[in-house]
Amino acid sequence: MRRSLLSSLRAHMGRLVAACLAIVLGVGFGSLAMIVHASASHGVNETIGAQYKGVDAVVYPDQATISPADIATVQKLPQAAAAVTLTTAYMDVAFPDLVRGTTVPIDALYDTQHIAGPGTSSGRLPTATNEIALPARTAAKHKIAVGQSLRISSYDDKSWTVTVVGLLDDSKYVGSASAVATPAAVKIFDPGAYTRGIALAAKPGVSQQQLTSAAQAVVASGLTVYTGEAFIQHEVKGLTNGIDVLGGVFGMFAVIALFVACLVIGNTFTIVIAQRTREMALLRCVGASRRQVFSSVIAEATVVGVIASAIGVVFGVALSALGLALSREFDWGIPPVPLHLDLSSIFLPLLLGTLATLVAAVVPARRATKVAPLAALRPEAAPAAATKAGILRLVLGFLLLAGGGLLLGVGAKQHEVLIGVAGGAISFLGILAIGALLVPALIRVIGALPARSGGVPARIAVANAVRNPRRTAATTSALLIGVTLISLTCVGIASVRKTFDVSMDGQYPVDLMVTTYKEKMPASAEQQLRDIKGITQVVPISTVTAKAGGEEIDVTGVDAGKAGSVIHNAALSDKLKPGTALVTYPVLKRLKLEDGSPLTIVSGQHKVTLTARLAIGVDPITTTSADLAKLTPSAPVTGFWLASDPKADGADVVDAVEQSIPTVKDLSVQGGLAERTSYTKIFDVLLIVGIGLLGVSVLIALVGVGNTLSLSVLERTRENALLRAMGLSRRQLRGMLAIESLLMALVAAGLGIVLGLLYGWTGTSALMGGQTVEGGVEYAVPGTLLIAIAAVAAVAGLLASVLPARRAAKVAPAGALTTE
């Protein structure tokens, strides 16, 4: 049997290429996901570990602040060789390239004899109270050099001039690093500087646990003492939650890709073994047992699985190394991550790929052993229209579809994500189970038009596409999974984004609110703001201090005719009219008012009574400019409400606004633009990553479509030759196969988009229903993306038919008619 196995592999390797390619892509992608996740986690562990080298215990302010008494007590511990206080002051630093200063954390230096401290990439660490060392990346951003002077200020308007004496090496630092100064300098800058922890080094012979227990016994309740190793893991967990989530997402997509690969492999082996029925029957006739035939097929699958999986692992390692090299080459805001290979990221994908191939080959191998030798030597009978197993499969499929649909509805209505996910998975399994009935029916519906107008080749193509329902359903299912998941991702992210936008419009109805305190806005301020790239509308506001309900409250006036151009919430904009005051909920409660109650506002000798209307996201009391003029006839302009271009980079717009109007000392910039932009970027990245990752499964599925067509061409060699002999041209033959492939791709795309819409909407409802302020969910249909998905699937289906069609067209009719 060994020689038979080797000769079989050599003879049929061309037919197994698609199965090999599918498993290479699936395993390669899984290996890529695991290696990148392992490298990122290992890199963060190494980075955090280096920052806390020599730390055996840490007193951490978990539910209470660290007091001077706690510091003094810990420093007297007999088990501790050193105890350093980790102190940070948050100061306003005036960089030369900025109009106004920006907040920079400044850590106090400490004795590094036992516990590692910061190092410099150039210059030295500070030794005097008028010296400071900046992180290298911060210095590069603001073009600060060693020896340069900076002005720093405290929250109570005290300021000092300091000299930059060194640049800290923050190349491997996760996030933004702090500046450093001497402990005396930090105490001068901020006498009440925040104590973020106490780091302890143990004396020789004292374990980390012993030191931790001793420290926990003497510090106040509410303070948590970690061992050095536990604190590193605590810090790593705070930084790697995103990495872990990303690893989970990558792993999920890898499983999907491997599942699709299993479908392709199973379909390939089914077709290949069906075509080798006579060959296996001859083996049985010359003495091979059923067990030997089964073992031969399994051994063949094992060889294919091991070789393809090994190639996939190498492919994944190469892609991982390339991706990490690019992350080091370009500034993506993350520390350099070296390639880290562990046993699990190498051998687990190899094992899973081999097992997937074996599992996919078991059913075809069992079928091969069930055919009697003499029966297999006779011509194959036409497949039965229905079988008992097929009927049971359909009944089970409809039951799964109904049960899954019910769970989907419950999950969406009750906002239970896990129930919704279970319902989606079960209902999709039902779709796959009834695929042999559903897919041919849809192909007949879609194929009605080309069959009517495309002539004989088109009618033959439709007939060929539904000739073997199970094979067509299996081939289409692989593509259906990918299209459904991509459509689900697009619809889900579009719906979540729309829901988020509506929620943001309710919480932050104005993009940016620019105000000043105890100063007047210059006459040129409005034009300066209009000149900022990304700002589309600027509306002046005036704020005065008046009395309402016996207490002083800021009252803002805005032109009612212009307010609608900067307020995104149409309902809120409609409320703003003469005789009405928009009042925030805390102010309503404080004044003991309700929505619709009369509100009397007094300013000096002037008084006005307005109707209070509940509002969110605006100033405490907002009125029209006309009503404000009744209180203060000559109220000065104290700020502006701004609207921005949705296509502009919100972070850049906020930075530009914060650095505008240089004659104003204290400029406050508030609003939801920065938050909206950050979430929009997250949605865009998720969409790109999701589509890119799921595209791998679609690629595998299209390989399966091409493979099915190729093997179908081999099956129908005599048939195609007979059609050629009867007058069918090569061009018509290629067109016939293209239509057959196109029909399968369109059915998968159409059904996948419909399922993606359904799953995307119900998933959004389950995920976001209880998260918004008002509990509402907005559903979106990303029409352009869905059309693009359908178009890509159609084009890919046509491309998948190119090589099989060329092979079919090259065969001479006379020679093909003699093929056995």
Side-chain angles (χ1 to χ4, degrees), residues 491-511:
V491 172
I493 289 178
S495 298
V496 171
R497 175 182 285 182
K498 187 176 180 181
T499 302
F500 175 80
D501 285 342
V502 171
S503 179
M504 285 290 293
D505 289 344
Q507 296 180 59
Y508 301 99
V510 180
D511 283 341

Side-chain angles (χ1 to χ4, degrees), residues 41-60 86 115-116 174 198-200 208 212 224-241 244:
S41 298
H42 177 76
V44 171
N45 271 290
E46 290 293 311
T47 301
I48 299 297
Q51 292 175 16
Y52 292 98
K53 185 178 180 181
V55 176
D56 295 308
V58 175
V59 180
Y60 186 75
L86 307 176
I115 296 175
V174 180
I198 306 173
L200 303 172
Q208 289 193 357
T212 300
T224 302
V225 183
Y226 293 93
T227 64
E229 294 178 356
F231 185 72
I232 290 174
Q233 293 306 312
H234 173 268
E235 294 291 284
V236 168
K237 185 178 179 181
L239 291 167
T240 59
N241 275 340
D244 293 337

Side-chain angles (χ1 to χ4, degrees), residues 574-586:
D574 292 339
K575 291 180 181 179
L576 186 61
K577 54 187 177 181
T580 301
L582 304 180
V583 186
T584 59
Y585 181 77

Side-chain angles (χ1 to χ4, degrees), residues 18-33 248-266 309 312 315 349 352-353 356-357 360 428 477-483 485-486 689-704:
C20 291
L21 182 58
I23 207 66
V24 165
L25 290 173
V27 171
F29 188 61
S31 180
L32 168 68
V249 172
F250 270 49
M252 180 186 69
F253 286 136
V255 170
I256 291 169
L258 205 57
F259 178 68
V260 175
C262 282
L263 291 177
V264 174
I265 294 164
S309 298
F315 180 61
L352 289 177
T357 309
F428 194 80
S477 295
L479 183 56
L480 173 64
I481 293 172
V483 173
L485 290 172
I486 290 180
V689 171
I691 292 177
L693 299 183
L694 291 170
V696 176
S697 64
V698 174
L699 177 61
I700 297 171
L702 290 173
V703 168

Side-chain angles (χ1 to χ4, degrees), residues 252-253 256 482-496 683 685-692 694 756-757 759-760 764 782 785-786 789:
M252 180 186 69
F253 286 136
I256 291 169
V483 173
T484 300
L485 290 172
I486 290 180
S487 302
L488 182 158
T489 302
C490 294
V491 172
I493 289 178
S495 298
V496 171
F683 291 143
V685 170
L686 286 176
L687 184 62
I688 293 171
V689 171
I691 292 177
L694 291 170
L757 284 168
Y759 292 149
T764 302
L785 281 174
L786 296 181
I789 291 170

Side-chain angles (χ1 to χ4, degrees), residues 642-674:
L642 313 179
S644 65
D645 185 348
K647 297 180 181 179
D649 189 313
D652 291 342
V653 172
V654 172
D655 288 343
V657 171
E658 288 178 341
Q659 298 304 316
S660 65
I661 320 176
T663 56
V664 174
K665 181 181 178 183
D666 294 319
L667 193 71
S668 172
V669 180
Q670 297 177 325
L673 180 60

